[in-house]
Amino acid sequence: MTTRLGFGLPQMRQYSIGTDVPDVARRAEEIGYESLWVFERALFPEPATQGLYNIEGLAWPDVYRDVAEPLVTLTLAAAATERARLGTSVLVAPLRIPFQLAKSLASLDAASGGRVVAGLGTGWSLDEYAAAGIRPFEERGSVLDEVIEVCRAVWGPDPVKYDGRLTKIASAVVGPKPARPIPILLAASGKKAQRRLVDHADGWIPVAMGAEQLAAEWRELQDLAAERGRTEPIQKVVRANAVHTGKPYDGPDRQPFQGSADQIVEDLAAHAAIGLEEILVDLQTTPRDAQELKDVAAEVYEKARAAGV
């Protein structure tokens, strides 16, 4: 069976969000992509107070200067499509009030006919946490725990009751409800985060940094699930941040999913061989406009299917 392919929606500054998001979403669905995805970058600190991914000395890419809000972007895509699932990879959940996030996701799922996939993470930017003002960065794990619990409560039967540190719901009717249970996927890069995933989430949504590394992380997660007695399958959606150069990239420093469409497809095949249900391909960084993005999307999809991915 071939791996499902998802597609990253245009959120960066070379795109016109109001017109290009619906246009690209419709075209991606027509091409055959089975899901549409957004990511989150809330701000661009200048000067930067920490490196990208909190790695000292690693510069933030210029494309992060202007990134459209993810749920607004996903709502535009929902209104323009019929079948494709609508996912977040990922929302930095602790930047949001848990109850409001639960309501937003439930409303979007109800409006789209049950197509939402909630990919959540804790993020790494101190500046984003300071701007959001929900809780300090050091409390990100406990806030994510509460977000998950509040979502489950709000999406469940009425009356909704919840007594947490940030959220207090004595007894209330909360609607609309999701059209079906919304799967929660977590990025889960550390030991504690992996335990949270195994115990409380439906699946895993990592960033692909190479097939061998991803396979090792998946084995580690499987071992942890067995150790903790989880019998329910773990859904897997992997984010592939692709850099399409339009020609082969032959440098010794080539990163996964960098280069021509053929090279991107080779990397897709290597990752699919791990046994992934789905790979989300985000190609939006290098195209100059929406038309070029649609052309590259079609080329990569057709070559991937021809290669058996």
Side-chain angles (χ1 to χ4, degrees):
M1 184 179 73
T2 56
T3 302
R4 294 195 304 266
L5 292 178
F7 189 73
L9 290 167
Q11 294 175 260
M12 297 174 179
R13 64 182 176 184
Q14 69 265 45
Y15 304 106
S16 174
I17 302 303
T19 56
D20 288 349
V21 170
D23 179 38
V24 171
R26 277 191 295 267
R27 180 58 183 139
E29 189 177 66
E30 290 170 359
I31 289 168
Y33 288 97
E34 296 184 52
S35 54
L36 303 168
W37 298 82
V38 291
F39 77 103
E40 180 153 49
R41 191 80 284 129
L43 50 72
F44 187 99
E46 198 170 42
T49 55
Q50 64 183 133
L52 184 70
Y53 309 132
N54 204 20
I55 299 173
E56 186 175 355
L58 186 61
W60 289 51
D62 193 60
V63 292
Y64 282 175
R65 289 180 178 273
D66 190 335
V67 177
E69 201 282 330
L71 292 183
V72 171
T73 305
L74 213 56
T75 301
L76 291 168
T81 56
E82 297 178 356
R83 301 177 305 279
R85 284 170 297 109
L86 307 163
T88 60
S89 174
V90 294
L91 286 182
V92 183
L95 300 183
R96 291 172 164 76
I97 297 170
F99 179 76
Q100 293 297 337
L101 178 57
K103 279 276 294 184
S104 295
L105 291 171
S107 297
L108 181 57
D109 193 73
S112 64
R115 294 192 278 150
V116 171
V117 180
L120 308 178
T122 55
W124 47 267
S125 170
L126 299 175
D127 294 278
E128 289 181 341
Y129 272 79
I134 304 300
R135 296 300 298 171
F137 180 77
E138 293 75 19
E139 298 178 20
R140 62 196 182 280
S142 62
V143 176
L144 178 55
D145 288 335
E146 182 158 327
V147 167
I148 294 170
E149 291 173 356
V150 170
C151 283
R152 302 288 196 204
V154 167
W155 300 341
D158 294 322
V160 175
K161 299 179 181 180
Y162 186 82
D163 185 13
R165 191 169 52 142
L166 298 174
T167 311
K168 308 286 185 182
I169 309 172
S171 180
V173 174
V174 184
K177 299 297 184 185
R180 69 8 169 176
I182 298 175
I184 294 178
L185 280 58
L186 300 180
S189 58
K191 292 292 185 183
K192 190 172 182 179
Q194 288 178 338
R195 289 194 295 272
R196 178 183 295 114
L197 187 160
V198 167
D199 293 344
H200 302 296
D202 299 292
W204 184 39
I205 189 161
V207 175
M209 302 299 288
E212 290 185 7
Q213 178 180 332
L214 187 68
E217 291 176 1
W218 172 232
R219 288 192 298 269
E220 187 176 307
L221 195 58
Q222 286 177 300
D223 290 343
L224 180 62
E227 176 187 316
R228 298 181 74 82
R230 175 168 177 149
T231 57
E232 181 183 356
I234 296 174
Q235 300 177 35
K236 301 180 292 300
V237 179
V238 173
R239 164 176 276 276
N241 291 321
V243 178
H244 181 262
T245 61
K247 57 185 179 181
Y249 189 95
D250 298 323
D253 58 343
R254 189 181 90 86
Q255 300 298 308
F257 305 104
Q258 180 182 20
S260 66
D262 288 324
Q263 287 177 310
I264 291 170
V265 169
E266 286 177 11
D267 290 332
L268 286 172
H271 284 74
I274 297 169
L276 305 174
E277 289 99 352
E278 185 163 6
I279 303 175
L280 121 75
V281 187
D282 194 325
L283 293 156
Q284 69 177 299
T285 304
T286 50
R288 293 164 295 182
D289 53 29
Q291 185 57 56
E292 186 174 338
L293 177 60
K294 290 185 291 184
D295 292 344
V296 173
E299 181 185 14
V300 169
Y301 184 88
E302 290 164 6
K303 290 188 172 185
R305 290 314 188 207
V309 177

